[in-house]
Amino acid sequence: MRVLPIKGYEGLYEVSDTGEVYTCDRVLGCGRHLKRKQIFGGTYSNEYKFVCLRKDGKNKNHLIHRLVAIAF
């Protein structure tokens, strides 16, 4: 399984070639450590799977198959 950063979210999120989305290990400004973990999103009514990614205080839903296609 290969894992690459998500374009626009480098250092925050990664996606694997099998469609799994992960947060990256990082330290917040307050000194809190966040460990890598898998993100489980949802499924739209048309059966497409999505995850909600957060950057600069804003949330945005992304289709997982598109994240994989862009990264690889």
Side-chain angles (χ1 to χ4, degrees), residues 3 14 17 20 29-30 33 44 54 67 70-72:
V3 179
E14 298 173 329
D17 55 359
E20 297 166 340
C30 62
H33 294 270
Y44 286 123
R54 183 177 179 92
L67 295 175
I70 291 169
F72 293 92

Side-chain angles (χ1 to χ4, degrees), residues 1-5 15-19 66-72:
M1 175 176 72
R2 292 180 42 206
V3 179
L4 294 175
V15 65
S16 72
D17 55 359
T18 59
R66 292 196 47 121
L67 295 175
V68 173
I70 291 169
F72 293 92

